[in-house]
Amino acid sequence: MNENIMTYETVDLGDNDENVIIIDQTRLPGKVEMIHLRTAQEIWDAIYLLKVRGAPAIGVAAAFGIYVLARQIAEEETEFDGFYKKFKEQKDYLDSARPTAVNLAWALNRMDRVCRQAYEDGNDVQKILEILGKEAREIKQEDIRVCKAIGEYGLSLVKPGDGILTHCNAGQLATCKYGTATAPIYLGQERGYQFRVFADETRPLLQGARLTAYELHSAGVDVTLICDNMSGMVMKNGWVNAVFVGCDRVAANGDVANKIGTSVVAAVAKQYGIPFYVCAPTSTIDLDTPTGAEITIEQRREEEVTQMWYKERMAPEGVKVFNPAFDVTDHELITAIVTEHGIARAPFTETLSKCK
Ligand code: MRU
């Protein structure tokens, strides 16, 4: 608990590119444990069980994951056809780990495209591996650059001393550095802005309490943890000047899927005239999905609501449970979508396609 979490890599490649190294986020904040993922099952489980989570971090883990698996496949398959058949199977398997964050499919499709292009360019399997490794590393470096750019644009929307509310964890732990929703906060911190941040605890998996409050506190940011049902009061009290949240998928019309509860925060912010900003790397914008209604929302296990985190079960046996991991915030509730290429405002159908 003494470690400064900000000095750790959320996702990395292990020695000799033989495995993917992640911080096991299910152990935070009690224990900082780095785990090594080598098999397809281990990588899939780590994504499904939220050991690595947050849309951009999932994308980077998947890119490193498919690269590590490609190296294993190449030990047996030296000809492209055999190699690619297994590569594709593993890619589809990793893609099935979680449905909502588009970055998972985005990163895997990008690796797939690079693989096929490398073959068409006349490279053999060994050279293709080299190219895949380079691409996976580039996806990680790009994530850092993108988050920083989002931070700069986001910072232009607030002023020193402002109160900022955030939901879930769209922080460094959800990316490779800076986070998305937290990027303006970290850049502001470096420049003496002295923000007052309110972090929603974010039931049922407590990403706000376990991760956002933890990383902001480690970084020396003035952060106050609140239960999800307190954000209305905090906003009504006039303590919040802006809401920044991350996202898992932005539809072409500007509807946004993000952690369950985000839409409630957006509605309350609108009620009190507080700007509601979504921070979205363009890799999260999915122009093939017309509106939020077409976004697949992940449903998760009942136990996350009834007993996880409690010493004993806190709900009657057999009670019906509804546990969607995400909700869709209607574009009418969103003041602006902050990307690495600029700030998009309504009408999003026009402005988002220009950002891409
Ligand atoms: O279920 P999680 O923890 O993966 O959900 C994460 C979120 O909803 C984040 O806000 C989103 O992925 C953006 S992370 C920069």
Side-chain angles (χ1 to χ4, degrees):
M1 184 63 180
N2 291 328
E3 289 107 322
N4 184 349
I5 195 66
M6 304 307 285
T7 61
Y8 286 77
E9 299 279 336
T10 310
V11 189
D12 212 354
L13 268 174
D15 286 342
N16 304 318
D17 297 357
E18 276 170 7
N19 46 47
V20 185
I21 307 179
I22 59 166
I23 305 170
D24 181 350
Q25 298 194 33
T26 60
R27 311 292 305 270
L28 296 175
K31 191 168 185 342
V32 179
E33 189 182 354
M34 307 305 293
I35 54 172
H36 295 60
L37 315 169
R38 204 183 118 74
T39 67
Q41 179 81 57
E42 284 168 352
I43 300 164
W44 193 97
D45 284 352
I47 295 173
Y48 176 72
L49 295 170
L50 275 54
K51 292 179 181 201
V52 57
R53 32 70 49 208
I58 291 172
V60 175
F64 281 163
I66 194 65
Y67 165 55
V68 163
L69 296 174
R71 287 172 48 90
Q72 292 165 24
I73 296 167
E75 284 169 18
E76 286 168 14
E77 303 288 348
T78 50
E79 295 304 317
F80 184 75
D81 285 352
F83 168 81
Y84 185 65
K85 186 170 173 286
K86 291 188 179 163
F87 176 90
K88 193 82 177 32
E89 281 165 11
Q90 301 287 37
K91 177 211 158 221
D92 291 345
Y93 175 59
L94 294 187
D95 195 13
S96 70
R98 295 189 78 188
T100 307
V102 70
N103 302 57
L104 178 59
W106 170 85
L108 289 168
N109 288 337
R110 179 163 157 178
M111 293 294 282
D112 185 19
R113 270 197 313 277
V114 164
C115 180
R116 281 182 284 122
Q117 186 62 52
Y119 174 65
E120 277 165 30
D121 291 345
N123 295 293
D124 64 11
V125 167
Q126 281 311 311
K127 185 70 190 161
I128 291 172
L129 287 182
E130 236 178 74
I131 294 170
L132 285 172
K134 198 161 163 257
E135 189 69 13
R137 288 184 167 87
E138 174 54 21
I139 289 175
K140 175 173 175 177
Q141 291 313 313
E142 211 173 274
D143 178 54
I144 297 172
R145 291 196 297 273
V146 161
C147 288
K148 181 140 196 245
I150 288 174
E152 294 290 356
Y153 283 116
L155 197 57
S156 72
L157 298 167
V158 281
K159 51 184 193 327
D162 271 358
I164 294 174
L165 187 137
T166 189
H167 188 75
C168 192
N169 175 266
Q172 174 151 315
L173 288 163
T175 64
C176 294
K177 203 171 162 67
Y178 303 110
T180 57
T182 56
I185 298 169
Y186 286 130
L187 293 186
Q189 168 87 351
E190 282 170 19
R191 297 169 200 178
Y193 271 51
Q194 306 203 319
F195 293 129
R196 294 165 292 105
V197 179
F198 294 92
D200 282 355
E201 68 173 351
T202 318
R203 282 278 294 155
L205 292 177
L206 303 181
Q207 288 93 333
R210 294 187 303 107
L211 308 175
T212 303
Y214 176 49
E215 62 165 85
L216 290 175
H217 185 64
S218 300
V221 173
D222 174 350
V223 56
T224 304
L225 176 64
I226 57 173
C227 299
D228 298 330
N229 53 8
M230 298 169 189
S231 61
M233 180 187 188
V234 167
M235 288 196 255
K236 190 171 182 178
N237 284 353
W239 297 344
V240 176
N241 302 92
V243 176
F244 282 105
V245 295
C247 64
D248 286 78
R249 193 180 292 244
V250 181
N253 72 340
D255 290 350
V256 164
N258 189 48
K259 181 52 56 193
I260 189 71
T262 302
S263 64
V264 180
V265 178
V268 178
K270 182 147 186 130
Q271 167 70 14
Y272 296 115
I274 297 165
F276 182 89
Y277 300 119
V278 174
C279 297
T282 50
S283 55
T284 312
I285 300 173
D286 178 11
L287 298 177
D288 293 335
T289 298
T291 74
E294 287 83 37
I295 299 176
T296 305
I297 300 292
E298 176 184 9
Q299 300 290 326
R300 294 186 63 90
R301 291 177 298 123
E302 294 181 2
E303 292 74 22
E304 290 178 352
V305 176
T306 56
Q307 59 200 67
M308 209 169 169
W309 318 114
Y310 297 124
K311 264 198 172 143
E312 55 190 75
R313 192 182 165 90
M314 278 294 146
E317 290 283 356
V319 73
K320 282 198 286 182
V321 173
F322 178 50
N323 185 19
F326 303 95
D327 61 19
V328 172
T329 300
D330 300 328
H331 60 274
E332 291 91 346
L333 298 175
I334 298 170
T335 311
I337 298 178
V338 184
T339 77
E340 72 274 25
H341 298 142
I343 301 169
R345 295 180 190 268
F348 292 113
T349 15
E350 287 168 26
T351 52
L352 285 179
S353 48
K354 284 186 194 137
C355 280
K356 267 296 244 189

